[in-house]
Amino acid sequence: MENDLWKVLIVDDDPNNLELLGNILKSHYQLSFATDGHNALVVANKVKPDIILLDIMMPGIDGYETCRRLKGNTKTSKIPVIFITAKKEIKDEEYGFEVGGVDFLTKPVSESIVIARVRTHIEIHNQKKVLEKMVQKRTRQLSQTFEKLENYSLDTIHRLTRASEYKDEDTGAHIKRMSQYAATIARHIGFNDYEIKAILHAAPMHDIGKIGIPDRILLKPGKLDADEWEIMKQHTTFGKKILEGSDAEYLKLGEIITQTHHEKWDGSGYPKGMKNKEIPIEGRIIAIADVFDALTSKRPYKGPFSVEKSFTIIEEGRNKHFDPAVVDAFFAVQEELLIIKEKYKDNDMSLFLKLCHT
């Protein structure tokens, strides 16, 4: 910005002082004037000067209070204020800096000092504005970069979970539904937007460890025997090993979910036999979302149960399999869950990927 475009507001109740300062600065800047503090606040808000020269001793509100109010207004808070005063006590200057002033000019003023001080502080002020714009630009760029990185990370996560489709033909539709179930329940429990998004993206990894389970067990069209069941339970451990050690938040949450979504409220679950609130809340939420979808879906070893029967089984699992508070949240949003069940009944993973990126 060129000097002749810079704007200066001069505030003084003495017309002679206004004239003096005006004559000193008129060839260098666009000038506005105010004769008291109240008028100064109005003019500053309207004109948006680059700097304000402010007398301290004025009727009504003095210069200190005027400065305080200027700094309290978001529209004028960043405008530098130079106090003009006959006061020479150090305590007066200290108070002026405390209320937001950047400098002092002592009456009677020197023309050369006025010009030098005004020029210096305007230059500093405009340098700050340039730096602020640069920071804002860099912040936007960093935000866009982080968003891209997050999208790349989520794409990697979803491609990883798609690998389980080759082990279980129903997994694609299953992870779409149960992830949405989990996010809906979490929202009702009181999760914030970030936490809801995290559980939505981490939930698909809950059964990633099934990659390590032999097909003869995973796809067996019947009940597993004791040995087979012990092998099947290892998918929680396999999932943990796949995901552990990452610094990525979604993967860390995925690790928690993979190893805790088969734990039960009464301690009878696996792999660690955790109970009650020893089980992370995300694991408790995924547990009920996973079971509800398993109950209402076709599996190699069973046909789908009706919604009514599935609801009955969920209720019977209160205080046994499931956290009673999560059961309450489940039934509070049951209509939403049924809409999700109907909406995401296909096996097209692209729909889920698109949903997660919105």
Side-chain angles (χ1 to χ4, degrees):
M1 184 181 293
E2 298 297 327
N3 284 12
D4 60 354
L5 295 179
W6 289 343
K7 294 177 288 186
V8 178
L9 170 59
I10 304 172
V11 186
D12 199 305
D13 63 313
D14 187 335
N16 293 325
N17 290 333
L18 291 178
E19 182 179 4
L20 173 62
L21 290 169
N23 287 334
I24 292 173
L25 298 172
K26 66 182 180 181
S27 61
H28 302 278
Y29 306 103
Q30 295 184 42
L31 303 181
S32 298
F33 301 92
T35 56
D36 58 55
H38 287 293
N39 188 229
L41 296 174
V42 174
V43 175
N45 196 59
K46 180 179 180 180
V47 174
K48 304 295 189 303
D50 294 287
I51 197 166
I52 299 173
L53 303 185
L54 181 59
D55 184 29
I56 293 178
M57 302 299 292
M58 295 186 296
I61 59 172
D62 64 12
Y64 292 137
E65 180 59 24
T66 302
C67 184
R68 190 192 303 278
R69 296 189 188 184
L70 287 167
K71 297 304 174 182
N73 182 342
T74 56
K75 294 182 179 181
T76 58
S77 61
K78 294 183 179 180
I79 301 172
V81 174
I82 297 178
F83 286 113
I84 301 177
T85 181
K87 292 174 175 276
K88 298 182 180 180
E89 296 292 329
I90 292 178
K91 64 179 181 179
D92 295 318
E93 290 194 13
E94 289 176 345
Y95 187 62
F97 289 126
E98 183 180 319
V99 299
V102 297
D103 205 346
F104 276 80
L105 290 173
T106 304
K107 296 178 180 179
V109 297
S110 163
E111 179 175 347
S112 61
I113 291 178
V114 170
I115 292 173
R117 297 282 182 85
V118 169
R119 181 177 63 246
T120 297
H121 285 291
I122 285 182
E123 288 176 352
I124 292 172
H125 177 55
N126 282 280
Q127 287 172 4
K128 285 182 179 179
K129 289 197 292 187
V130 171
L131 287 174
E132 287 175 357
K133 289 181 180 179
M134 291 175 62
V135 169
Q136 291 171 357
K137 181 179 179 180
R138 288 294 297 151
T139 300
R140 287 194 299 270
Q141 291 173 338
L142 285 172
S143 178
Q144 292 169 353
T145 299
F146 285 137
E147 184 177 354
K148 287 181 180 179
L149 287 173
E150 181 183 49
N151 288 336
Y152 293 152
S153 298
L154 292 176
D155 185 59
T156 300
I157 290 170
H158 296 141
R159 289 177 184 277
L160 179 64
T161 58
R162 288 183 68 180
S164 60
E165 283 191 279
Y166 296 99
K167 302 287 286 182
D168 183 349
E169 64 181 9
D170 190 58
T171 299
H174 168 61
I175 65 174
K176 284 184 291 185
R177 290 189 299 268
M178 64 81 56
S179 298
Q180 287 294 311
Y181 294 158
T184 301
I185 295 168
R187 182 178 293 106
H188 184 79
I189 287 175
F191 280 34
N192 61 38
D193 289 344
Y194 175 82
E195 292 166 335
I196 293 167
K197 183 178 180 182
I199 202 168
L200 177 67
H201 290 312
M205 294 179 276
H206 72 293
D207 274 344
I208 191 63
K210 285 185 176 180
I211 292 174
I213 304 301
D215 288 352
R216 63 180 176 81
I217 295 175
L218 186 65
L219 303 178
K220 182 179 179 180
K223 187 175 181 179
L224 302 180
D225 62 34
D227 291 338
E228 291 170 335
W229 180 238
E230 288 304 312
I231 294 173
M232 174 63 84
K233 291 196 299 186
Q234 292 179 26
H235 80 274
T236 57
T237 303
F238 294 157
K240 178 182 184 304
K241 289 181 178 179
I242 290 171
L243 300 175
E244 67 183 354
S246 174
D247 290 329
E249 292 298 322
Y250 293 146
L251 293 181
K252 288 195 289 187
L253 180 56
E255 179 187 351
I256 291 171
I257 287 172
T258 59
Q259 61 182 321
T260 63
H261 73 287
H262 283 298
E263 300 287 0
K264 295 183 179 180
W265 186 250
D266 63 5
S268 64
Y270 66 89
K272 294 183 177 181
M274 302 168 75
K275 64 186 299 185
N276 296 350
K277 292 187 179 180
E278 292 176 352
I279 309 167
I281 183 62
E282 295 85 359
R284 286 178 264 153
I285 291 172
I286 297 299
I288 200 167
D290 189 31
V291 169
F292 177 64
D293 195 68
L295 290 171
T296 55
S297 302
K298 181 179 180 297
R299 289 290 186 265
Y301 52 87
K302 74 167 193 64
F305 292 160
S306 69
V307 169
E308 292 75 15
K309 182 175 181 178
S310 299
F311 282 164
T312 298
I313 293 172
I314 294 292
E315 181 57 45
E316 290 173 348
R318 180 191 295 270
N319 283 313
K320 298 174 185 177
H321 192 153
F322 308 117
D323 175 354
V326 176
V327 174
D328 288 342
F330 173 88
F331 282 109
V333 296
Q334 66 182 43
E335 296 302 323
E336 294 177 63
L337 302 182
L338 294 179
I339 292 172
I340 292 168
K341 181 180 182 300
E342 179 64 23
K343 188 173 184 179
Y344 302 111
K345 60 185 178 181
D346 60 88
N347 286 318
D348 182 8
M349 281 296 294
S350 64
L351 184 60
F352 179 68
L353 297 180
K354 180 180 179 181
L355 177 68
C356 287
H357 283 284
T358 59

